Amino acid sequence: MGSDSKELLGIEPLELRFPFETKKQISCSMQLANRTDDYIGFKVKTTSPKKYCVRPNSGIVPPRSTSDVIVTMQEQKEAPPDMQCKDKFLVQSVMVAEDTSAKDITGDMFTKKSGNVVDEVKLRVVYVPPPKPPSPVREGSEEGSSPRHSLSDGSNLNYQEVRSANITAWFNSQETTREPDDPLSLAAVKSQKDQEGFTSETSALISKLTEERNSAIQQNNKLRQELDLVRRELSKQNGGFSFAVVAAIALLGILLGFIMKR
């Protein structure tokens, strides 16, 4: 500020802080506040005019009002050593007549020869690191979660092993009092699924095995109906094969049905 002048404009901030990044235009703003009852003309100068663009670089601030100035730093190819900047800005202000327009503001109005009382405020430039982007959250990194295993990790099941296990489970179910419409237990396969997590390909395999199991149950029901018919025929004839022979024939039919399915 000049020694013979009074403060005409309040300026915020007194430090222009740029989040510096190479090859990118960066802007910051300052506010000029006129706390007087006069019209104040202003002009903004810099020690590096080719490096910065100031809009507006001159103008008029009416009484008891404010005006915003945007300072844009052009793209820089490289960062300065230690992120230190020696650039400076100077905001000059003078009282002007009420009928003065922004176009009437010239550099001559801010010289000593003009006879005007010139208020001057110097601003320095500071480079600050750009804000860090939020770190992405990796899938499966949350507490309690575990990444899924792919088929290449050895989590896939051999088709023949699963098929054999399900056929064995079905034969075991025939020796119990389980009704035909009860769901067949797949405890071993489900346990494996809970531990390792099946892929879509393995799930499709399980669906296929379930369809085969349902088809086998239907075939078993059909064989039971045929067995009942044979029993009734034998009871009518009071002779023929014994019950053990009929049961053996039925079991043979079941085995043949599974062999044909495979």
Side-chain angles (χ1 to χ4, degrees):
M1 183 182 297
S3 59
D4 299 331
S5 65
K6 64 178 182 178
E7 182 177 346
L8 301 179
L9 292 176
I11 302 175
E12 289 291 340
L14 294 177
E15 214 175 55
L16 299 180
R17 302 176 68 87
F18 292 89
F20 188 88
E21 294 184 64
T22 57
K23 300 180 181 180
K24 183 177 181 181
Q25 283 190 348
I26 307 167
S27 299
C28 67
S29 65
M30 58 179 165
Q31 187 179 77
L32 311 181
N34 180 3
R35 301 185 180 91
T36 72
D37 296 325
D38 302 308
Y39 284 82
I40 304 298
F42 70 89
K43 186 173 183 62
V44 182
K45 297 180 179 180
T46 178
T47 56
S48 302
K50 294 182 179 181
K51 186 177 178 180
Y52 300 95
C53 176
V54 183
R55 291 290 182 272
N57 62 352
S58 62
I60 296 176
V61 184
R64 306 295 176 182
S65 61
T66 60
S67 178
D68 291 328
V69 176
I70 305 299
V71 180
T72 302
M73 182 175 65
Q74 304 301 319
E75 296 181 8
Q76 301 298 305
K77 295 182 179 180
E78 58 183 13
D82 300 326
M83 294 291 285
Q84 299 297 316
C85 181
K86 297 181 180 181
D87 299 334
K88 298 289 190 298
F89 280 81
L90 178 67
V91 180
Q92 297 176 307
S93 56
V94 296
M95 288 187 296
V96 296
E98 182 177 350
D99 58 352
T100 304
S101 66
K103 295 180 180 180
D104 298 328
I105 303 298
T106 62
D108 295 336
M109 299 174 63
F110 302 93
T111 63
K112 293 181 179 180
K113 295 180 180 181
S114 66
N116 295 326
V117 177
V118 181
D119 181 24
E120 295 183 343
V121 178
K122 294 181 180 180
L123 310 177
R124 73 189 192 100
V125 176
V126 177
Y127 293 155
V128 296
K132 295 182 179 180
S135 58
V137 178
R138 295 182 180 179
E139 183 179 357
S141 64
E142 292 144 356
E143 184 177 358
S145 63
S146 59
R148 293 184 177 180
H149 295 286
S150 63
L151 289 177
S152 60
D153 295 331
S155 62
N156 56 320
L157 298 179
N158 184 275
Y159 176 82
Q160 294 297 334
E161 292 179 357
V162 176
R163 180 184 178 90
S164 176
N166 281 274
I167 292 174
T168 303
W170 185 87
F171 274 111
N172 292 337
S173 68
Q174 305 307 309
E175 298 175 0
T176 65
T177 57
R178 183 188 301 274
E179 292 296 329
D181 56 350
D182 286 343
L184 185 61
S185 173
L186 297 176
V189 177
K190 288 182 178 180
S191 176
Q192 183 72 10
K193 180 178 180 181
D194 292 339
Q195 294 175 0
E196 300 181 357
F198 275 11
T199 62
S200 58
E201 181 179 351
T202 309
S203 298
L205 174 60
I206 296 301
S207 299
K208 182 177 180 180
L209 292 174
T210 302
E211 293 177 0
E212 292 182 1
R213 184 260 298 173
N214 294 334
S215 176
I217 291 176
Q218 294 177 359
Q219 186 176 1
N220 182 44
N221 292 337
K222 184 176 180 181
L223 290 174
R224 286 189 177 186
Q225 293 175 359
E226 294 177 357
L227 179 60
D228 291 339
L229 290 175
V230 173
R231 287 177 179 174
R232 284 196 290 268
E233 290 295 331
L234 291 175
S235 61
K236 290 180 181 180
Q237 297 176 5
N238 293 325
F241 298 102
S242 65
F243 176 79
V245 175
V246 173
I249 294 174
L251 180 60
L252 180 60
I254 294 174
L255 292 174
L256 289 175
F258 271 101
I259 293 173
M260 292 178 66
K261 288 293 291 181
R262 296 182 63 181

